[in-house]
Amino acid sequence: MGSSKKIYAVNGSPRRCGNTAELLNSALAGAADGGAETEFIQLSELRYSGCISCFCCKRKNSPFYGKCAVMDDLTAVLEKLQTADGVILGTPVYFGSESGIFRNLIERLFFANFRYDQNHSSLLKKQIPLAFIYTMNVNTADAAKYRYADRLHMLQAFGGRIFNFAEPPVLFACNTWQFDDYDKYDAELFDVADKKRSRAEEFPVYRQQAYQIGRDFAGM
């Protein structure tokens, strides 16, 4: 028998065990149940920067052509993701965009792996299933009002183009439970009863959707 597939989940939240991590773990559970090996990567535990515009990854005949030349805690992660059999990226949404640590990953992972040609050709050696999981405090109505899906779509567009030339599956988990005790925080904006309802009724659905993403990846 051949070796099993290796699927990675990358947590772009500063919270190691928050909503994003929970959904990513559900995705990996699905992948494991499908027979894949899995690994969970916590970006918050690493020390690294975003792209520094050195352009070594674009320089002809460079030993770093097609890979990031910056050497830090992200270097080993980038190598894993570029040879994976599936990558599931997760981030909370802050002010309508991805977290800072997630953005730094994206800059270095995406930029090094596409060519400056008319087709934005990929430099990856194989096609890799890619998915995005977003968690957010706003409810579905506000997410639509502020056009979160449109604002985040560029990440999926570039990621799909680089990893497998397909639109990646995306999970938007809205109205998430943010605090352990809302009474401790200045957060009168939120309807705590509705937050509890969402946590009990909607979040399990998001868990199942994340699980299915992982299970699907294991079967590809």
Side-chain angles (χ1 to χ4, degrees):
M1 294 180 62
S3 58
S4 61
K5 294 181 178 180
K6 187 63 178 285
I7 295 177
Y8 295 89
V10 183
N11 184 17
S13 172
R15 293 184 173 186
R16 297 181 69 256
C17 302
N19 298 300
T20 309
E22 288 188 53
L23 295 181
L24 289 171
N25 275 315
S26 293
L28 289 187
D33 286 348
E37 295 182 24
T38 65
E39 184 174 334
F40 192 100
I41 297 172
Q42 295 274 16
L43 294 182
S44 64
E45 296 178 352
L46 309 177
R47 295 178 64 86
Y48 63 97
S49 71
C51 176
I52 62 171
S53 294
C54 66
F55 299 115
C56 288
C57 64
K58 298 286 180 283
R59 185 173 302 215
K60 297 177 181 178
N61 301 317
S62 166
F64 292 105
Y65 179 74
K67 63 180 181 179
C68 184
V70 178
M71 296 296 166
D72 55 20
D73 288 355
L74 198 62
T75 302
V77 172
L78 295 174
E79 291 177 358
K80 290 178 179 180
L81 300 184
Q82 291 171 154
T83 58
D85 298 302
V87 176
I88 305 168
L89 302 175
T91 179
V93 176
Y94 296 151
F95 297 103
S97 190
E98 66 274 13
S99 71
I101 58 174
F102 187 82
R103 181 68 191 187
N104 285 347
L105 165 73
I106 290 297
E107 288 178 356
R108 291 177 54 188
L109 177 62
F110 285 9
F111 186 63
N113 286 293
F114 83 91
R115 290 188 59 210
Y116 272 154
D117 64 6
Q118 296 300 320
N119 296 319
H120 290 163
S121 302
S122 175
L123 292 172
L124 291 178
K125 293 181 172 58
K126 64 177 182 178
Q127 293 183 325
I128 302 171
L130 177 70
F132 289 83
I133 293 177
Y134 301 103
T135 59
M136 58 200 74
N137 200 21
V138 300
N139 58 33
T140 53
D142 282 341
K145 175 183 177 181
Y146 297 120
R147 302 179 65 183
Y148 278 14
D150 291 340
R151 296 171 71 173
L152 294 163
H153 183 260
M154 186 60 72
L155 293 180
Q156 291 109 246
F158 265 104
R161 189 70 177 169
I162 295 165
F163 275 73
N164 55 26
F165 291 83
E167 189 76 12
V170 178
L171 171 57
F172 290 98
C174 299
N175 204 22
T176 54
W177 184 261
Q178 189 172 18
F179 303 118
D180 55 349
D181 182 352
Y182 275 76
D183 289 337
K184 294 179 180 178
Y185 300 91
D186 183 8
E188 64 183 33
L189 172 65
F190 304 111
D191 182 339
V192 179
D194 185 59
K195 285 285 186 183
K196 288 181 178 179
R197 179 206 56 77
S198 178
R199 179 69 181 181
E201 298 176 6
E202 296 173 6
F203 202 76
V205 177
Y206 296 139
R207 279 182 176 275
Q208 183 57 39
Q209 291 172 341
Y211 175 93
Q212 192 60 51
I213 289 173
R215 189 64 183 259
D216 290 345
F217 276 17
M220 288 181 175

